Amino acid sequence: MDLLAQAEGTGRTLTMVLFLLTVAVTIVISIWGHRYTRTATDFHSGGRSFSAWQNGFAIASDYMSAASFLGIAGTIALFGYDGFLYSIGFLVAWLVALLLVAEMLRNTGRFTMADVLSFRMRQRPVRTAAAVSTLSVSIFYLLAQMVGAGALIALLLGIKEGETYLGMDAETAKIAGIVLVGLIMTLYVALGGMKGNTWVQIFQAMVLVGGAAVLTLMVLGQYGFNVSDLLGDAATASGQGAAFLEPGLRYGVEVPGDAVQTMWNKLDLVSLGLALVLGTAGLPHVLIRFYTVPDARVARRSINWGIGLIGAFYLMTLVLGFGAAAIVGVEAITAQNPAGNTAAPQLAEVVGGEVGGSTLGAVMLAVIASAAFAAILSTVSGLVIASSSSLAHDLYNSVIRHGKATEREEVGVAKLASIGIGIVAIVLAIFAQNLNVAFLVGLAFAVAASANLPTLLLSLFWKRFNTSGALWGIYGGLVASLALVVFSPVFSGTETSLLGEGVDIAWFPMSNPGLVSIPLGLICAVVGTLMSDESRPDRFATLQVRALTGAGSERAAEH
């Protein structure tokens, strides 16, 4: 027992040292970025100075977050084949961003999505709507990252049921982790702006991909690099047998004797896939990355870099998820975290222990958990920058100050906004601790695909589109997606819902609203357009020239 306690103490110490070292490195990077952040362009878009590979790594970093590393690996570990749906959806989604959005968005805007939406419309109402939508999407995504951070803290400190560490039990440690991430992400934004945050994300991507690659090789090494044996052991250990390697355990579940529920389950699967594929091109923290490069060509090349990194990483999550099921076991995973968010770090500890004893197990846990924390920290800071930039640039400068705010004022408001966003995210994340982080991101994608993407595409491609259509589309898609979430099993009526089993207001049968909310958002945008006589064909012609050539892109948001 003394040796075991000593090993656990060593593991905790090593984990905390690596975690603090990761935080220290990223804070130093942010301080360095602060030295080169002098103007609004520096703060919002990093001075448009990043190369294709740099922006590609940062884009990948936005994706290789708590949702990818913790949520997907956990979902695969618990539900097998169905968990890989997130990986496929996230990866395929980049084709939509590459072919329809990236180049044209870079050519027509300056800092935010609203620069494009409002170019040929009335500035104030459209920018207000865009800011509201940006905040809604970002909050959902922030919740996913911060819930993942809370789950990691308890595992990092090795706190088991009935135990305490530094006076904290497991639940208190989770809350402390959420608060800590909220404070650090605010510090990142206040210090480094987009320039510092981008370099933090590049560092995080390298750490996370490197750590995941090492763990993947160790897992495959346990099976002599025979993937078939790994899958067979995972299926056996799951207790589900061959069904673990087939679709239907988590999504599209067949309910014997209940054809109606079976139909809803299958539609829920389609709904999730639709949201994942279409949501990427509407995520605010992804869209602003296209403004950090010199021109559209570099924006396009940076996506190619991102797709390569993301694709390789998701192949690794497949090994990590099935590896966790086979080596750690479903019971041990759910005992630590019911949603499976700690499957990858637990796998690192067990595999490391089998290969090199408890010391290597502690080292691997520390490395993987610290890499996951780096992913969380960089992603949340990117989300906060997207939200604070929208509030400062769209709402404060363009709506409240009618475009007359100085750059110093705009940057100051952005920093204050980041504090407010951090507080809101902390409070909400504390109440959402039991939700799977990949699922929370799926909800963010649904809102983005419903409210942002239809209006963005119609603004770029439909000559008749106008202010009324943009407002109807944004608010219609936003209200539809959020309302359906509130009245779904995600919010109430189940053990893992936000309000728990005690409250049941769920009447919408699907957990993912995209199948209904995305068409509704598009219909609202079209109907709103047709109900207004407003039309500015000259501005549309100018927008097309800028979108296709980049001519006058620096002035696109100023006129």
Side-chain angles (χ1 to χ4, degrees), residues 343-369:
Q346 285 178 275
L347 174 65
E349 185 175 27
V350 174
V351 170
E354 291 180 356
V355 172
S358 59
T359 301
L360 183 58
V363 170
M364 286 303 299
L365 171 61
V367 169
I368 295 302

Side-chain angles (χ1 to χ4, degrees), residues 390-458:
S390 183
L391 287 174
H393 180 63
D394 298 328
L395 201 59
Y396 176 75
N397 187 10
S398 300
V399 176
I400 298 175
R401 294 295 307 276
H402 302 277
K404 297 178 180 179
T406 64
E407 290 194 347
R408 184 184 182 89
E409 288 177 330
E410 188 173 313
V411 172
V413 169
K415 292 180 179 181
L416 288 175
S418 69
I419 297 174
I421 293 165
I423 292 172
V424 172
I426 288 170
V427 172
L428 292 178
I430 289 173
F431 288 100
Q433 292 180 64
N434 291 327
L435 295 179
N436 182 276
V437 292
F439 182 75
L440 284 169
V441 169
L443 295 181
F445 273 64
V447 176
S450 304
N452 293 348
L453 185 61
T455 52
L456 189 59
L457 293 180
L458 290 176

Side-chain angles (χ1 to χ4, degrees), residues 28 30 39 83-84 174 200 243 373 468 498 514 529 545 557:
V28 168
S30 296
T39 66
F84 201 48
K174 289 179 182 179
V200 166
F373 248 108
S468 176
L498 198 61
T529 298
V545 171

Side-chain angles (χ1 to χ4, degrees), residues 11 57 82 157 237 276 294 401 432 448 549:
F57 268 77
D82 281 6
L157 300 179
L276 295 180
R401 294 295 307 276
T549 68

Side-chain angles (χ1 to χ4, degrees), residues 159-184:
I159 303 176
K160 298 181 176 63
E161 190 71 31
E163 295 181 353
T164 61
Y165 180 69
L166 298 178
M168 298 184 295
D169 58 17
E171 288 302 312
T172 305
K174 289 179 182 179
I175 295 174
I178 290 171
V179 174
L180 180 63
V181 169
L183 294 175
I184 294 175

Side-chain angles (χ1 to χ4, degrees), residues 34-89:
H34 177 70
R35 296 173 57 192
Y36 297 94
T37 301
R38 299 182 180 88
T39 66
T41 300
D42 292 331
F43 184 88
H44 296 309
S45 59
R48 309 188 196 282
S49 59
F50 292 103
S51 65
W53 78 264
Q54 291 167 346
N55 200 44
F57 268 77
I59 285 173
S61 176
D62 274 330
Y63 252 48
M64 296 184 302
S65 58
S68 297
F69 193 46
L70 303 179
I72 294 176
T75 305
I76 293 174
L78 298 183
F79 302 105
Y81 178 95
D82 281 6
F84 201 48
L85 171 67
Y86 282 97
S87 299
I88 298 298

Side-chain angles (χ1 to χ4, degrees), residues 134-167:
T134 295
L135 276 176
S136 301
V137 174
S138 297
I139 287 295
F140 269 119
Y141 218 118
L142 276 170
L143 285 180
Q145 313 310 317
M146 298 177 76
V147 166
L152 263 181
I153 280 288
L155 181 64
L156 276 169
L157 300 179
I159 303 176
K160 298 181 176 63
E161 190 71 31
E163 295 181 353
T164 61
Y165 180 69
L166 298 178

